[in-house]
Amino acid sequence: MSLKALLKQHFSYDEFRPGQQETLELLATGTPVLALMPTGAGKSLLYQFRAKADPTTDLVLVISPLISLMQDQTTKARDLGIEATFINSSLSREEREKRMAQLADGKYKLLFVTPERFGRPGFMEILSKRKISLFAVDEAHCISLWGHDFRPDYAKLSEVRAALGNPLTLALTATATAEVQKDIVKSLGLEDQMQIMAQGLERPNLSLNVEEAYGLEEKTEALLKELSVKPGTTIVYFSLIETLRKVSQQISRKGFDHLTYHGDLPADLRRKNLKNFMRDESPLMLATPAFGLGIDRPDVRLLVHMEIPGSLESYFQEVGRAGRDGKPSRGVMIYDEEQDISIQMEFLKWGNPEAAFLKNLYRLIETRRAELDQGGMEFLREQMSFKNRRDYRVDSGVNILERLGCLAKSEDPFPWVALEAPSDEMIAMERMPERLKNLNMKLLLMLRWAKDEEFCRMSRILSYFGHETKPCGVCDVCRENFDA
Ligand code: ADP
Ligand code: MG
């Protein structure tokens, strides 16, 4: 049967999305593939297909850093009739052991795990009882020290792969520069073997626009202007919760009903707002960029950045959440060069805390559960003697510890639990001077892109990802040039 017929039979879709068929064809010949496809393009289908439509498959292993999405990914696979499960630190020990025993017994065709799982006692042994038909590395850019989201556990995946007998490998990412692509291939030990499939990166329906503003007041004015034309479903991103709150008050006063989503909201309210965002006809959401990951709302018509993001990778990934349904959509970045760059520079500084700081922070989280559940981030700030509300070192430290695999998300009032103290080796990697220089460079390129009024915005981003294209015709620069 043809791939297309299998698609129809198992997934009820008539057509492949760009890149899907090509990737599946390569995998069918045993060729490892790095698939670079934008968010929402249908990367999950690639491993689901191998789990569902290939009768020779024993186990498809999907490695992902995003614990918060695993339940959802598993549910989606189960809805497709795939015997799927996940194993990560959010499960009780009992539940985890139950799933591991079932796995060893040959149950499950699709398994989602976090990369740190391979280092846990007994896990590799259980996997060795199965044939890994596909080793899928989701969010593969996390493997690269030069990516914006490096995770040390990812760096060990080539060892894991080798220990599992070099199974057929599929790396997936929505965001990787040419440099990071090379790094992924190399880190997986697949130089000269892995094919890079970059497709569907073009977003012809997405118009990118940049507006310069001075100060928050002007930014808010610009935002209000965007909102006044009733744009439909809208997401507005903020780097700082404090700014989000201010703007939220301002636009409420002007009569714009909206939802919010950020780390300082209690978990139940976050859940409620997310539900309303999915349900309302044309919601307006003010959020930090963590909102949107894995959210399936294809009709986002307007996506606003209220500050300049730290890199073109982050920007493109975030703005790419608009217009997944293919209908005309607008991305608007409203930026204040001086203020935004200084915020980003502070983020970079906070993002590079001293080893002692990370260790102390970890110890507090490990040992002061009751006080944390009571006082949350504020308690941590006090303990680390940061009284200033605008000091985000503690928040940033918590995020780093999570990325390093030292903390895991939890359902407790303080939403993280301690797993493993950060090692000196981890911290040293994190604090490598080249890495910092690279992050600074990314910010600089982001700023240059914003200030450039000569080249098509979309094609500049795509060429940053190693993809040459014609001018898009719909960004502010192209429109200006066509008018002239
Ligand atoms: P991502 O690339 O971000 O991981 P997903 O795999 O979550 O994206 O897919 C986004 C949506 O696209 C899903 O709801 C999925 O069902 C849908 N989808 C995937 N492939 C196809 C296809 N060939 N035709 C129609 N819809 C598809
Ligand atoms: Mg995905």
Side-chain angles (χ1 to χ4, degrees):
M1 217 196 276
S2 72
L3 286 175
K4 206 168 142 179
L6 290 169
L7 179 75
K8 182 79 186 164
Q9 182 192 333
H10 292 282
F11 297 88
S12 318
Y13 297 138
D14 293 321
E15 300 288 341
F16 280 108
R17 294 255 185 90
Q20 287 179 334
Q21 180 163 359
E22 297 83 346
T23 303
L24 290 171
E25 276 167 0
L26 283 167
L27 290 175
T29 66
T31 311
V33 185
L34 164 58
L36 185 66
M37 287 161 64
T39 307
K43 289 185 286 298
S44 325
L45 181 104
L46 301 171
Y47 54 73
Q48 289 165 349
F49 195 94
R50 300 286 303 193
K52 177 119 198 272
D54 183 346
T56 67
T57 291
D58 181 40
L59 181 67
V60 171
L61 189 60
V62 182
I63 297 120
S64 160
L66 304 169
I67 292 186
S68 54
L69 299 189
M70 274 185 195
Q71 175 66 62
D72 190 47
Q73 287 170 319
T74 301
T75 309
K76 279 191 181 142
R78 287 210 184 126
D79 290 346
L80 287 165
I82 302 170
E83 217 186 335
T85 195
F86 65 92
I87 297 181
N88 65 33
S89 57
S90 75
L91 298 175
S92 69
R93 191 197 176 95
E94 206 184 358
E95 179 62 27
R96 209 156 50 217
E97 274 165 11
K98 188 177 120 204
R99 292 187 192 185
M100 300 239 279
Q102 289 171 327
L103 192 64
D105 276 350
K107 195 172 148 87
Y108 304 121
K109 282 221 138 171
L110 181 59
L111 172 67
F112 295 92
V113 289
T114 43
E116 107 273 352
R117 194 55 31 204
F118 299 106
R120 305 277 151 185
F123 188 63
M124 286 299 275
E125 206 185 315
I126 284 172
L127 285 184
S128 70
K129 299 198 172 123
R130 301 290 299 267
K131 177 173 173 287
I132 309 298
S133 307
L134 183 69
F135 185 81
V137 184
D138 207 359
E139 312 294 338
H141 54 275
C142 295
I143 217 170
S144 170
L145 207 48
W146 314 126
H148 53 299
D149 201 11
F150 168 64
R151 288 158 201 258
D153 280 323
Y154 260 69
K156 297 183 195 134
L157 287 179
S158 84
E159 278 168 48
V160 171
R161 222 190 126 253
L164 293 171
N166 296 316
L168 178 62
T169 298
L170 170 66
L172 302 162
T173 177
T175 159
T177 61
E179 184 191 24
V180 170
Q181 292 167 32
K182 261 194 239 147
D183 217 19
I184 293 171
V185 174
K186 196 169 142 223
S187 303
L188 287 168
L190 288 167
E191 281 157 309
D192 307 323
Q193 292 177 58
M194 194 167 228
Q195 293 273 333
I196 297 178
M197 176 62 59
Q199 275 210 29
L201 275 182
E202 289 97 340
R203 301 292 307 276
N205 62 313
L206 180 58
S207 154
L208 302 180
N209 302 270
V210 176
E211 239 181 274
E212 195 162 10
Y214 298 92
L216 188 57
E217 217 164 296
E218 253 187 60
K219 281 185 173 179
T220 311
E221 284 297 313
L223 173 63
L224 285 167
K225 213 169 119 207
E226 293 288 336
L227 298 178
S228 67
V229 299
K230 296 206 166 57
T233 302
T234 299
I235 300 177
V236 186
Y237 281 134
F238 296 82
S239 318
L240 298 175
I241 295 172
E242 188 195 349
T243 319
L244 186 158
R245 286 210 172 101
K246 277 188 200 152
V247 173
S248 166
Q249 281 174 5
Q250 294 248 346
I251 69 170
S252 289
R253 248 179 260 137
K254 302 273 181 185
F256 288 98
D257 283 340
H258 62 275
L259 302 161
T260 59
Y261 192 98
H262 56 77
D264 276 1
L265 283 184
D268 53 335
L269 195 54
R270 268 207 307 260
R271 257 195 300 273
K272 188 175 132 221
N273 290 354
L274 171 60
K275 211 156 96 201
N276 286 334
F277 178 78
M278 294 306 289
R279 204 168 42 193
D280 289 1
E281 198 181 326
S282 51
L284 166 59
M285 171 63 93
L286 272 53
T288 47
F291 173 79
L293 262 183
I295 285 168
D296 233 346
R297 175 109 201 193
D299 66 338
V300 176
R301 294 276 78 84
L302 173 66
L303 196 142
V304 182
H305 281 88
M306 289 294 274
E307 290 104 10
I308 202 163
S311 67
L312 279 165
E313 287 97 310
S314 307
Y315 172 70
F316 193 52
Q317 200 163 36
E318 288 157 18
V319 79
R321 292 167 191 163
R324 290 194 202 155
D325 55 6
K327 295 185 184 149
S329 311
R330 208 172 138 74
V332 181
M333 189 174 97
I334 304 170
Y335 83 109
D336 175 330
E337 177 171 353
E338 216 173 300
Q339 277 189 7
D340 294 3
I341 294 295
S342 78
I343 289 174
Q344 287 297 342
M345 296 294 279
E346 270 182 85
F347 273 133
L348 283 178
K349 210 170 69 204
W350 298 329
N352 186 36
E354 302 288 329
F357 174 86
L358 284 178
K359 289 184 171 177
N360 288 339
L361 190 61
Y362 180 81
R363 206 160 308 131
L364 280 170
I365 296 172
E366 187 180 38
T367 55
R368 310 284 288 271
R369 194 73 233 172
E371 288 144 296
L372 276 168
D373 282 340
Q374 190 80 48
M377 283 292 180
E378 284 305 327
F379 168 73
L380 287 178
R381 275 187 208 118
E382 267 164 40
Q383 292 295 311
M384 303 295 291
S385 52
F386 296 133
K387 302 274 154 55
N388 182 352
R389 261 196 95 39
R390 282 225 35 192
D391 195 320
Y392 288 84
R393 267 177 289 180
V394 168
D395 309 62
S396 162
V398 167
N399 287 331
I400 292 171
L401 288 172
E402 187 190 343
R403 188 159 53 73
L404 294 178
C406 303
L407 300 179
K409 278 256 157 49
S410 94
E411 295 285 312
D412 296 314
F414 179 74
W416 285 275
V417 288
L419 289 181
E420 186 188 352
S423 68
D424 291 329
E425 182 202 17
M426 270 179 200
I427 296 175
M429 241 198 237
E430 183 69 19
R431 286 177 57 84
M432 262 172 57
E434 297 93 310
R435 193 174 130 74
L436 276 182
K437 216 166 95 190
N438 200 266
L439 293 174
N440 270 303
M441 182 55 107
K442 284 186 195 300
L443 177 56
L444 184 69
L445 289 174
M446 179 76 234
L447 179 66
R448 270 205 210 135
W449 175 87
K451 292 172 78 83
D452 185 346
E453 286 174 1
E454 213 172 317
F455 294 101
C456 165
R457 295 205 186 275
M458 188 58 95
S459 41
R460 276 207 63 171
I461 295 185
L462 294 177
S463 93
Y464 182 67
F465 291 112
H467 214 65
E468 298 306 327
T469 54
K470 286 203 284 271
C472 73
V474 293
C475 71
D476 52 1
V477 174
C478 281
R479 289 198 318 269
E480 186 76 22
N481 289 343
F482 290 156
D483 287 350

